[in-house]
Amino acid sequence: MSSTDKPGAGRWRWLSGGRQRRQEEVILMMLCALSIPSILPFGIYRLLQGSWASAMVDMALVLAMSSVIVHVWRTGRYQVASVCVTIFYTGGMLTTVYLRGVGLVYWVYPTMISAYFVLRPSVALAINSVGLLVLVAVLHGRVEMLNLATIIVTVGLVNLFAYIFSYRTGVQNRRLHNAAELDFLTGVGNRRALERHLAEYAQERRPQLESSLLLLDLDHFKQVNDQYGHAAGDKVLMRLAELMRRHTRSSDRIFRYGGEEFAIIASGAGLNAAASLAEGLRGAVATATLQEDHPITISIGVAYMDKAQKPADWLAQADKMLYAAKQGGRNAVRVAEPS
């Protein structure tokens, strides 16, 4: 009998999920927070000097950065806020150069580089390119052509290098992320990926389609390993993973989190739809030939992913139903009653 044949509290150990999203939120809020003490003293100084227009630009930027921090802190919606911050920065920089002259053009470089920390490289490059065109229009006729050409070339090179670095870093991070969250044998997500997806679903503040969690386990899988060897057992697991891909929707997510145990997040499926999905999957496995001369069946537990509860509760409910399916004779589906 596998580990799922025995109920056990504490079998679910959580890693922090949604880390990437929280990191993006923190980076954006830190950027805004660092901008406030960097800009505010200049705004106060210009107020004291009577430079009202420049002071208003600085104060408007401080207010905008403060608003973004509050917005991201309360809602977690950092994507649109990141674009707004970059536009605020760029607009403030261009207005300052227009009002104060070419002497403040050095603010262009940190402003444009900062865009690559909070936006996708292509979006940051697009905004900075528009900003560069506006800068050329602002400086045209106010500086010598040689100086203007120097500014254009250096700003262009800074953007080019920042884009390449940001793009390559993103590609490498995606590769590492994918490698860290894939099961090496079956190619489906591993337990770490499952925990991250569940945590992200629980933490998402925006309304989402209802979803359900399926936990499934191969019945008497130890007999396959004992009778045919572990190599044959590995082939059964790979064939099962492929069968699950064929009998689930493109929106569903499949994971292997240990041994012969698998999980499926049925996105947009309530309990009834998830139960139908589980029953179809159970029947498909029962009629398939995963191992010659040895029938293979699975037991499945289904639980609703109620946001009033925690991911550990969803897993515990699905695990309880899986145990009930095992105790009821295996090759069965059991569905948890909604809370």
Side-chain angles (χ1 to χ4, degrees):
M1 186 175 292
S2 72
S3 58
T4 53
D5 292 330
K6 300 178 182 179
R11 65 175 293 193
W12 307 111
R13 181 179 58 86
W14 283 95
L15 300 172
S16 2
R19 289 178 181 173
Q20 181 65 32
R21 176 159 48 192
R22 290 198 296 271
Q23 287 174 357
E24 297 290 347
E25 294 176 12
V26 170
I27 289 173
L28 180 60
M29 289 190 292
M30 285 181 61
L31 179 63
C32 294
L34 291 173
S35 301
I36 293 173
S38 301
I39 298 172
L40 185 58
F42 290 99
I44 295 174
Y45 175 77
R46 286 164 183 161
L47 277 175
L48 296 175
Q49 294 296 313
S51 301
W52 304 109
S54 297
M56 289 302 101
V57 172
D58 292 337
M59 293 305 180
L61 284 173
V62 170
L63 180 61
M65 296 303 110
S66 302
S67 301
V68 168
I69 292 174
V70 174
H71 172 75
V72 174
W73 178 267
R74 295 183 62 182
T75 68
R77 300 178 183 178
Y78 65 90
Q79 292 92 341
V80 175
S82 299
V83 176
C84 292
V85 166
T86 304
I87 293 175
F88 292 155
Y89 265 140
T90 303
M93 174 269 297
L94 292 171
T95 304
T96 300
V97 172
Y98 175 77
L99 294 174
R100 307 290 295 182
V102 70
L104 293 182
V105 75
Y106 45 77
W107 282 107
V108 172
Y109 301 97
T111 298
M112 290 193 170
I113 290 175
S114 67
Y116 293 94
F117 285 89
V118 296
L119 295 175
R120 296 195 306 271
S122 57
V123 178
L125 181 63
I127 294 176
N128 286 348
S129 298
V130 174
L132 179 57
L133 292 176
V134 176
L135 179 65
V136 171
V138 169
L139 295 180
H140 183 69
R142 302 175 68 178
V143 298
E144 296 180 359
M145 287 302 299
L146 181 59
N147 290 338
L148 181 58
T150 301
I151 292 172
I152 294 173
V153 171
T154 54
V155 171
L157 288 175
V158 165
N159 272 279
L160 176 62
F161 296 150
Y163 174 84
I164 293 173
F165 177 78
S166 180
Y167 178 80
R168 292 184 62 182
T169 301
V171 170
Q172 292 171 353
N173 285 340
R174 285 192 295 273
R175 289 175 179 172
L176 289 173
H177 177 78
N178 291 336
E181 294 199 344
L182 281 183
D183 176 61
F184 72 95
L185 178 66
T186 61
V188 300
N190 58 20
R191 181 167 176 171
R192 175 179 179 178
L194 169 65
E195 291 171 344
R196 180 178 65 81
H197 277 80
L198 291 178
E200 286 183 352
Y201 182 85
Q203 294 165 4
E204 179 58 58
R205 298 174 177 89
R206 290 173 292 183
Q208 287 180 296
L209 295 174
E210 56 182 1
S211 297
S212 299
L213 175 66
L214 286 66
L215 293 185
L216 62 94
D217 183 70
L218 284 158
D219 298 325
H220 300 301
F221 185 67
K222 186 176 183 296
Q223 295 178 2
V224 176
N225 286 326
D226 291 343
Q227 185 174 349
Y228 300 98
H230 288 281
D234 288 346
K235 289 182 179 179
V236 170
L237 294 176
M238 290 187 286
R239 290 167 182 166
L240 174 61
E242 182 58 34
L243 186 147
M244 285 192 290
R245 291 190 186 97
R246 295 197 306 268
H247 288 83
T248 54
R249 305 162 304 167
S250 59
S251 59
D252 298 331
R253 296 290 179 267
I254 306 172
F255 309 91
R256 179 190 178 202
Y257 55 89
E260 68 274 22
E261 303 165 300
F262 289 83
I264 300 174
I265 296 178
S267 302
L271 276 180
N272 291 335
S276 298
L277 175 66
E279 187 58 39
L281 186 59
R282 183 207 61 77
V285 173
T287 57
T289 303
L290 300 183
Q291 173 62 44
E292 296 292 338
D293 302 323
H294 192 104
I296 300 290
T297 60
I298 59 174
S299 299
I300 305 176
V302 183
Y304 180 66
M305 292 165 59
D306 185 355
K307 281 199 171 183
Q309 298 177 318
K310 298 179 181 179
D313 298 325
W314 308 335
L315 284 164
Q317 289 176 0
D319 190 37
K320 183 179 179 180
M321 292 300 100
L322 175 58
Y323 179 69
K326 291 282 190 181
Q327 291 295 97
R330 297 179 173 80
N331 190 24
V333 174
R334 294 292 183 269
V335 182
E337 292 293 331
S339 302

